[in-house]
Structures are given as structure tokens and as C-alpha cells.
Amino acid sequence: ASPRLAINRLRDPRWCEAWDRALAGTAGLRVRFAGSELGVLALRALQHGATHALCVERHPLDARIATGMVQKHFLGAWHARHGDAIRGWTDDERRDSFEDFTQAVDIAQADAAGAAAPCDVVVFPGIDHTLLGTGLVPALRAAHTADGGRPRVMPARATLYAMPIQWCYPDDEAGA
């Protein structure tokens, strides 16, 4: 369900415009995404001048899709840069060259060692109305700047709406 929900959000032009405005402030910074919307927000941060994007994905499938999206994004430019020279390279030479070309984006799973890299900004694109299951607290605990300080958080604020309910089981005499 996670990739399907991300695709639905990415189809919303207002949602994407809001993130583009926010990511414009990442120029020259290292950005950590707690979920990257399949790698798309990391690529947008790079387009806005971020120096590095780390996508920390909670689910293995999301990490695989984000990796594929990022690699496919860079593939055409990599081919254009190296042209026909690629044909004479070994598989290892191609792989090393491509990894150097895509070094501005890393994809990691939440429990991986690479997920602890320092950053200047932490982005939570998947915050929902409940704040449950977002991994907000563990991600903030793991995030740190290169000098050990706390990074800036996006979104910087959120409006939460709540509706009180009373739960009453049919056989509950006390009325909950």
C-alpha cells in the first residue's frame, strides 16, 4: 500500500508545489528524508541545489523502488557524459562510474548503518493526520548535523485536527 499511497500524493499538483516551495530552501544542504516518496523528493531537492539527499525508507519495497527511480533518473545523463566509451568498459568499471555519478543520493533502510549519516535538514513527507506509524521520534533521535547539533525539520509545523469520540460496546453497562 505504501507505494500506491506515494503515487497518489505525487499526482496531487498542490501537494507537489508545496514540497517544491519547501525544498527550495535546501540549496547547499544535506537533506535526510524519512521516506522519500519513491525517491522523487530527493531528486527535487537536488534540483533545488541540495548537496546530498539520503532517503531512509521504512519498508524494503520502498527502498528498492526509490533506488530504481533514482538510478533511472540519472541513467540518460550518465550515458550522455560517457558516450560510446562505455562499450569498452568492464561491468565493474561501468558500475563504479555510475555509482560515482549518482553519489549525491543514497537510499537506506531505517535500520541500516548508512541511515545515521549527518544532515542539515530532516524531511517527513509522510506525516499523516494521526502521526502514528511515521517513525517521527526515532528519526529525530537518529538525526544530527556534522557538528552533533540538531538539524532543521520539515515540515516545520503542522495543523492537527482531532475529533473526540466515545467508544461504547453494546454490552458495556458503564457507558465507557
Side-chain angles (χ1 to χ4, degrees):
S2 178
R4 183 172 23 91
L5 294 172
I7 290 169
N8 287 337
R9 285 188 294 271
L10 290 168
R11 287 182 177 159
D12 181 348
R14 290 189 349 203
W15 187 87
C16 290
E17 288 169 10
W19 276 110
D20 270 336
R21 283 191 306 275
L23 293 173
T26 62
L29 302 175
R30 297 178 59 84
V31 185
R32 174 191 173 110
F33 290 91
S36 64
E37 301 303 294
L38 310 177
V40 172
L41 291 184
L43 294 172
R44 286 184 173 195
L46 293 178
Q47 289 173 346
H48 286 291
T51 59
H52 186 266
L54 170 62
C55 307
V56 181
E57 303 292 349
R58 294 184 65 207
H59 305 289
L61 180 60
D62 290 345
R64 286 187 64 192
I65 293 172
T67 299
M69 295 285 288
V70 167
Q71 288 177 351
K72 284 182 175 73
H73 172 78
F74 286 113
L75 193 57
W78 177 75
H79 274 286
R81 177 179 286 177
H82 298 294
D84 289 335
I86 296 170
R87 291 183 185 165
W89 294 354
T90 65
D91 287 342
D92 288 338
E93 288 172 324
R94 285 187 195 122
R95 188 177 310 107
D96 290 344
S97 172
F98 191 71
E99 287 175 0
D100 287 344
F101 195 81
T102 62
Q103 68 183 346
V105 179
D106 287 315
I107 314 291
Q109 284 191 233
D111 56 355
C119 61
D120 302 305
V121 180
V122 180
V123 179
F124 293 96
I127 292 178
D128 67 4
H129 66 285
T130 64
L131 294 179
L132 299 174
T134 58
L136 187 72
V137 173
L140 287 174
R141 285 185 180 144
H144 61 284
T145 60
D147 62 2
R150 289 285 169 208
R152 188 175 73 189
V153 176
M154 284 186 188
R157 63 179 185 265
T159 302
L160 298 178
Y161 298 94
M163 180 176 76
I165 62 169
Q166 181 177 11
W167 189 265
C168 183
Y169 288 102
D171 62 342
D172 185 8
E173 294 178 19

